[in-house]
Amino acid sequence: QKEVEQDPGPLSVPEGAIVSLNCTYSNSAFQYFMWYRQYSRKGPELLMYTYSSGNKEDGRFTAQVDKSSKYISLFIRDSQPSDSATYLCAISRPGNTPLVFGKGTRLSVIA
Amino acid sequence: GAVVSQHPSWVICKSGTSVKIECRSLDFQATTMFWYRQFPKQSLMLMATSNEGSKATYEQGVEKDKFLINHASLTLSTLTVTSAHPEDSSFYICSGSGAANYGYTFGSGTRLTVV
């Protein structure tokens, strides 16, 4: 079983739709949960990070963590064409260790 | 927020030559630098972990003599692809980690094309 599972998509939605992106993980030792956005030929850009179960909101983005189910989500409200990118979930163990990434979900928001 | 500056953003080189990629942490001390490789439509693959002043730790299957990593200071790490071949063509990304940010900040990536 992979440490982090993420459906690669692609996912195509109309402008204004609510987007739901999800990842599952297997190791309960993971403590930090992140979502990155990556545009083509660019480095990943941190969107959200959290370390506890529950919701964290930032503008149109909401990150949700359910540690009991080992499930993390990113919701994008009022999606825009500029949100079209690959979204990567990333999880880290305690200490200065490398992130473990999901495969990334390719999102297209159609105007 | 924390910024990692990566250069060059793209490079084309001939087979057999070497290419150096630099990553600088601009406003924090990166005690650790992670180097990743990414093929088209795939996720990031960790190549090596480098701690300042120490030898890098390479992931299984990554040739340490081919991908030379130097992390001589808390603000600069370099990856040198030696004797590059077309199969080394890829997108290389660094990520700096310090006391306040565990691997959060990525460079903008370097697209290497070996011809």
Side-chain angles (χ1 to χ4, degrees):
Chain A
Q1 182 185 12
K2 290 187 177 179
E3 290 189 292
V4 180
E5 299 272 7
Q6 181 178 10
D7 186 342
L11 180 63
S12 183
V13 301
E15 183 177 359
I18 296 175
V19 176
S20 172
L21 304 167
N22 310 291
C23 288
T24 59
Y25 63 96
S26 58
N27 190 338
S28 57
F30 287 132
Q31 282 194 350
Y32 295 89
F33 308 91
M34 283 145 276
W35 285 95
Y36 285 85
R37 177 175 62 196
Q38 186 177 25
Y39 292 111
S40 180
R41 304 189 178 193
K42 299 290 185 183
E45 170 195 8
L46 179 65
L47 281 177
M48 304 281 287
Y49 78 90
T50 185
Y51 52 86
S52 58
S53 284
N55 294 349
K56 183 176 181 180
E57 190 173 318
D58 184 1
R60 296 185 295 109
F61 299 91
T62 299
Q64 189 175 81
V65 175
D66 182 345
K67 287 190 174 183
S68 62
S69 302
K70 300 188 182 66
Y71 193 85
I72 64 173
S73 301
L74 177 71
F75 298 97
I76 306 174
R77 292 184 298 281
D78 187 25
S79 56
Q80 303 295 309
S82 58
D83 295 328
S84 299
T86 296
Y87 290 80
L88 297 138
C89 62
I91 303 177
S92 72
R93 303 177 185 84
N96 208 9
T97 56
L99 298 176
V100 180
F101 284 93
K103 284 187 174 182
T105 300
R106 289 171 52 209
L107 171 67
S108 294
V109 181
I110 310 301
Chain B
V3 176
V4 172
S5 176
Q6 183 172 350
H7 294 279
S9 56
W10 62 272
V11 58
I12 300 174
C13 71
K14 291 184 177 180
S15 288
T17 61
S18 296
V19 173
K20 180 184 285 188
I21 301 169
E22 286 191 354
C23 278
R24 294 181 182 272
S25 55
L26 299 185
D27 49 4
F28 71 101
Q29 293 184 327
T31 53
T32 303
M33 195 72 79
F34 303 103
W35 286 93
Y36 296 85
R37 184 174 181 175
Q38 187 177 34
F39 291 105
K41 299 184 180 181
Q42 294 189 22
S43 190
L44 284 74
M45 182 183 73
L46 180 68
M47 297 176 67
T49 300
S50 139
N51 292 304
E52 184 263 338
S54 302
K55 287 185 178 180
T57 301
Y58 291 82
E59 295 298 301
Q60 190 174 10
V62 178
E63 299 175 60
K64 63 179 181 180
D65 294 329
K66 181 168 191 60
F67 299 99
L68 301 179
I69 292 173
N70 184 282
H71 193 169
S73 79
L74 288 171
T75 58
L76 174 64
S77 179
T78 61
L79 166 67
T80 301
V81 183
T82 63
S83 187
H85 290 285
E87 57 265 30
D88 298 325
S89 298
S90 188
F91 193 57
Y92 294 88
I93 312 173
C94 62
S95 173
S97 176
N101 64 324
Y102 291 103
Y104 289 178
T105 307
F106 284 81
S108 55
T110 297
R111 180 160 301 281
L112 170 64
T113 301
V114 185
V115 297

